[in-house]
Amino acid sequence: MSSKNLLVELFVEELPPKALKKLGEAFAAALANSLKNAGLAPSTATVTAYASPRRLAAHVTDVLAVAADKPVVQKLMPVAVGLDAAGNATPALLKKLAALGADASAVAGLRRENDGKADILFYDSLAKGATLAEGLQKAVEAALAALPIPKVMTYQLADGWDTVNFVRPAHGLVALHGADVVPVSVLGLNAGRATHGHRFEAAVDPVVIADADAYAGTMRQDGAVIASFAERRAEIARRLEAAAAQAGGRPIDDDALLDEVTALVERPNVLIGQFEPEFLAVPQECLILTMKANQKYFPLLDAAGKLTNKFLVVSNISPEDASAVIGGNERVVRPRLADAKFFFDQDRKKSLESRVAGLGKVVYHNKLGTQGERVQRVAAIARAIAEQLGGGELVQHAEQAAVLAKADLLTDMVGEFPELQGIMGRYYAQHDGLNADVADAIEDHYKPRFAGDSLPRGRVGIVVALADKLETLVGMFGIGQIPTGDRDPFALRRHALGVIRMLAENDLQLPLGELLAVAGQAFAAVDGFKGAESALADFIYDRLAGSLREQGYTAQEVDAVVSQRPQRLGDIVKRLAAVRAFSALPEAAALAAANKRVGNILKKVDNAVEPTVDAGLLKEAAEVALHAALVEVVPQADAAFVTGDYTESLQTLAALRAPVDAFFDGVMVNADDPDLRANRLGLLAKLHAAMNQVADLSKLSA
């Protein structure tokens, strides 16, 4: 059966730019999947998505005009129900066949098969394959229904009566199977072969598509449109690099902005603009943000990464003389930059310290008070952490940075650009003549802001960032705002991962339990606050386990270490390395299994078993030998553990394999004599404690 390639295009008004890429991919994927499910396209069909500001399209290879007939097996009923004693069809069978479009003549061809309980009648038939017109109609409707549309519009059709719902009003539909139009209809539109190109630069209008394979070429040549999102994006990136080289700089690297600009133009043209050099006195983060967010420009940086007074504009038109376009963009950006300069100049007239009092008028959370109260809690936590890490100057700087860290929220610049919080605080702190570590900490206390972000650059920043995140975590858990499922409105998962990274990557010797307790004390004066350190610790260790698995550690390795709830997260990587090295030992499997067995025995004892042994009560040779081995091995393992040599600590335990095996082979733990039983349980508790200092080795047992 011959096949041809298929092209479907929906021509619409300007689509939402931030959603365009996903819309194009989803439209093509859903359309192709529907055709494949209907048997009209093979699983190997190549699917090409097209998306421009005014169109969604898909090209699918090897599409059939009619799908192959499909064999259908219909289970009817037991033979005893469907046929009488003479072998004739019963009324029940005839009724069932009629419902399937068959009559009594089909009875002779029914197949019998035993299902293990009784003989069953089956009706085998062929289902007629769907035509492309039928299948494509369903496929287009399904594809449009499945689009991840941010918000739908309701609009009136040309007849003046009917209304439809879609992301934007649709004005044209193309459906070509090879060179043949497929008669489908959607959103009040009938398919044809004509579409529209660029609003201003198309060579002809309408643009007529000769066949499915000519779509991209015809749109580029006659319509002045690069229909492929990926090709248009690559062309913009190429032109940006070329223009930047011409201007003597490099464009900022921003994939999200590149995607958005790709969704705003149909045939890109990159132009170079510039602004007055005096604006460069404003922090470059402000200028870059206003050019990106408000104008969709690409600011140009010099070789050192410093902002220049030039920028790149991605235009949708290519006039012979582009001076008017460039001049227009320069006029538009100038007031934006002037606003940024005004905000910066005004903000510097007041010190950060003078703004702190105003935080008392800003509500943080109705159950946790104002930003001013929050700042005091963060400062108290920071002071306690700094005292543990060194005291003295660190305490002074950390407390000062914590008090000032939120003050820039009340500045004009951050009010206009919330993304600059912290960044502007650092600039204003420098203007106020504050210590460099304090200024850096004001910016860095938000870090890490996202996965892969850098950590605060100094100890003061680490202390304040830890304090800030701990205050958020403890506070929200204390009022019951615990993340559930996909809901995490206060980004507590991100805060927890930030705490984990700072403790682990800086190898801070700060026990997690003590940190949570210190943070909890800061909320003593908050009405209705209920400490939730245990639930919060569970939450943090869950995040830790997930993070470690993402880093490539096995579930068993992670479980063995994290289940022990190590208090110093800086030790985690060393513990994991020790577990991995231990697992490679020939004795590992037997010791892990023995450890699991010991744990199960101790769990069955009503009261906690102390790891103490009376040598005088040791009767059997195997228990004497195990005790002697523990006396020799445990001090060695403990000494290595204390120095942080976890690998050596675990590997020392390998010497216990033979005496442990002999103990379980020759000693009855649950002896009738209660003193003997208690002593043997104490011996096992001593063994269990020795084997589980670094990690729970039983987790390594299959």
Side-chain angles (χ1 to χ4, degrees):
M1 195 177 295
S2 62
S3 62
K4 301 176 185 177
N5 296 340
L6 176 75
L7 183 283
V8 177
E9 184 209 69
L10 185 67
F11 180 75
V12 297
E13 294 182 16
E14 276 74 2
L15 291 160
K18 291 185 178 179
L20 181 63
K21 185 179 180 183
K22 286 185 178 179
L23 289 173
E25 292 168 350
F27 178 75
L31 187 80
N33 287 338
S34 292
L35 293 173
K36 290 174 183 178
N37 292 337
L40 289 162
S43 60
T44 56
T46 301
V47 183
T48 305
Y50 296 99
S52 82
R54 298 198 296 158
R55 73 201 72 244
L56 298 174
H59 182 274
V60 185
T61 62
D62 303 323
V63 176
L64 298 170
V66 181
D69 295 343
K70 286 185 178 180
V72 177
V73 177
Q74 183 72 41
K75 183 178 180 181
L76 299 177
M77 59 190 66
V79 172
V81 176
L83 301 176
D84 60 20
N88 297 317
T90 63
L93 178 58
L94 292 173
K95 184 177 180 182
K96 182 71 172 178
L97 288 171
L100 297 173
D103 55 24
S105 64
V107 174
L110 296 181
R111 179 167 53 85
R112 301 186 185 196
E113 189 175 313
N114 192 287
D115 68 353
K117 296 180 181 179
D119 285 342
I120 305 295
L121 290 172
F122 288 86
Y123 176 53
D124 298 329
S125 62
L126 280 177
K128 198 73 174 171
T131 66
L132 179 56
E134 297 167 342
L136 185 58
Q137 181 68 45
K138 293 178 181 177
V140 173
E141 291 174 355
L144 296 185
L147 286 179
I149 297 174
K151 198 172 185 180
V152 297
M153 291 179 63
T154 299
Y155 62 93
Q156 199 171 51
L157 297 180
D159 62 13
W161 294 98
D162 298 318
T163 59
V164 293
N165 297 317
F166 194 52
V167 60
R168 292 290 186 270
H171 298 295
L173 178 65
V174 174
L176 294 175
H177 186 224
D180 302 323
V181 174
V182 185
V184 295
S185 301
V186 69
L187 300 176
L189 303 168
N190 295 320
R193 64 173 70 250
T195 184
H196 302 277
H198 194 287
R199 280 190 188 276
F200 313 111
E201 299 185 351
V204 296
D205 187 61
V207 177
V208 178
I209 312 298
D211 62 69
D213 293 343
Y215 177 70
T218 303
M219 289 306 301
R220 185 187 285 263
Q221 182 174 335
D222 294 347
V225 171
I226 301 175
S228 166
F229 188 96
E231 288 181 23
R232 207 163 57 255
R233 189 182 193 275
E235 176 68 8
I236 292 172
R238 185 188 67 77
R239 287 174 175 259
L240 286 172
E241 290 295 339
Q246 178 186 337
R250 62 179 176 84
I252 58 163
D253 185 13
D254 191 321
D255 284 342
L257 178 60
L258 184 54
D259 281 344
E260 188 173 358
V261 169
T262 303
L264 288 169
V265 300
E266 293 195 306
R267 187 173 69 170
N269 180 33
V270 174
L271 306 171
I272 303 170
Q274 61 182 3
F275 54 84
E276 289 76 3
E278 54 261 32
F279 286 122
L280 293 175
V282 179
Q284 70 177 43
E285 293 91 342
C286 308
L287 304 180
I288 289 172
L289 185 57
T290 192
M291 283 190 279
K292 283 169 40 179
N294 294 319
Q295 307 304 135
K296 314 305 176 191
Y297 297 160
F298 286 81
L300 280 180
L301 309 177
D302 63 17
K306 187 177 180 181
L307 183 67
T308 71
N309 69 320
K310 295 180 181 179
F311 59 90
L312 301 181
V313 180
V314 181
S315 174
N316 195 36
I317 57 176
S318 304
E320 290 185 12
D321 181 4
S323 59
V325 178
I326 294 171
N329 281 282
E330 290 175 344
R331 283 194 300 276
V332 168
V333 77
R334 194 170 293 116
R336 295 287 190 179
L337 301 181
D339 285 346
K341 185 176 187 305
F342 175 78
F343 293 148
F344 185 55
D345 291 340
Q346 289 297 111
D347 286 341
R348 288 182 296 169
K349 292 178 180 179
K350 292 179 63 177
S351 68
L352 283 179
E353 187 175 0
S354 70
R355 297 179 186 273
V356 172
L359 293 172
K361 300 176 183 178
V362 180
V363 175
Y364 166 55
H365 191 284
N366 62 350
K367 292 184 179 180
L368 296 175
T370 66
Q371 283 284 7
E373 292 169 315
R374 182 186 181 211
V375 160
Q376 292 307 312
R377 292 193 294 266
V378 174
I381 299 168
R383 182 169 58 249
I385 294 174
E387 285 171 350
Q388 292 186 57
L389 289 180
E393 189 177 77
L394 180 60
V395 173
Q396 177 190 345
H397 288 163
E399 189 169 7
Q400 183 182 22
V403 169
L404 299 176
K406 306 296 181 184
D408 68 348
L409 296 178
L410 300 180
T411 63
D412 291 339
M413 187 72 83
V414 175
E416 181 72 13
F417 299 111
E419 303 93 329
L420 295 176
Q421 56 187 288
I423 294 171
M424 296 313 303
R426 176 172 174 268
Y427 280 109
Y428 296 143
Q430 290 173 335
H431 179 263
D432 293 344
L434 299 182
N435 177 275
D437 290 340
V438 173
D440 289 345
I442 290 173
E443 176 181 350
D444 289 354
H445 85 281
Y446 288 105
K447 295 181 178 180
R449 297 172 186 249
F450 50 85
D453 191 18
S454 60
L455 296 182
R457 70 197 87 179
R459 287 209 306 165
V460 178
I462 288 288
V463 169
V464 181
L466 269 175
D468 183 67
K469 288 169 176 56
L470 287 168
E471 192 278 341
T472 301
L473 288 163
V474 172
M476 291 304 166
F477 267 72
I479 59 173
Q481 293 289 337
I482 300 174
T484 57
D486 294 332
R487 281 189 53 76
D488 186 10
F490 298 101
L492 301 188
R493 292 184 178 90
R494 176 168 57 81
H495 285 304
L497 287 171
V499 169
I500 290 166
R501 282 191 60 197
M502 284 186 283
L503 292 175
E505 294 178 28
N506 289 286
D507 197 14
L508 299 181
Q509 300 303 302
L510 297 171
L512 181 62
E514 290 182 19
L515 286 176
L516 298 183
V518 164
Q521 292 167 9
F523 289 86
V526 177
D527 292 337
F529 179 84
K530 296 180 180 179
E533 282 90 347
S534 178
L536 178 53
D538 290 343
F539 180 75
I540 292 174
Y541 282 115
D542 283 346
R543 303 284 78 70
L544 172 63
S547 174
L548 292 171
R549 286 192 293 269
E550 289 176 0
Q551 293 174 45
Y553 295 102
T554 68
Q556 283 185 320
E557 291 168 343
V558 171
D559 199 16
V561 172
V562 177
S563 65
Q564 294 295 85
R565 300 297 187 91
Q567 286 295 295
R568 292 180 176 176
L569 302 191
D571 291 344
I572 292 290
V573 173
K574 289 192 291 185
R575 288 176 186 252
L576 285 164
V579 166
R580 185 164 284 182
F582 174 80
S583 298
L585 297 175
E587 299 88 353
L591 284 173
N595 190 44
K596 188 173 185 178
R597 184 174 180 183
V598 171
N600 289 336
I601 291 171
L602 295 176
K603 283 177 187 175
K604 294 177 182 177
V605 181
D606 292 337
N607 300 316
V609 179
E610 294 297 322
T612 56
V613 180
D614 183 348
L617 290 175
L618 298 172
K619 303 298 183 185
E620 304 290 343
E623 63 181 331
V624 172
L626 177 58
H627 181 252
L630 286 173
V631 169
E632 180 181 354
V633 169
V634 169
Q636 298 174 28
D638 287 349
F641 180 83
V642 169
T643 61
D645 191 346
Y646 300 132
T647 300
E648 176 64 23
S649 182
L650 278 184
Q651 293 195 338
T652 302
L653 301 178
L656 295 175
R657 179 185 174 178
V660 167
D661 288 347
F663 177 87
F664 281 118
D665 287 341
V667 178
M668 175 69 71
V669 176
N670 290 318
D672 293 334
D673 184 329
D675 291 336
L676 279 180
R677 183 169 64 250
N679 201 52
R680 288 169 181 171
L681 287 171
L683 182 62
L684 290 183
K686 191 176 182 69
L687 172 65
H688 197 254
M691 295 177 74
N692 290 282
Q693 278 197 109
V694 175
D696 183 351
L697 299 185
S698 69
K699 303 294 185 181
L700 303 177
S701 177

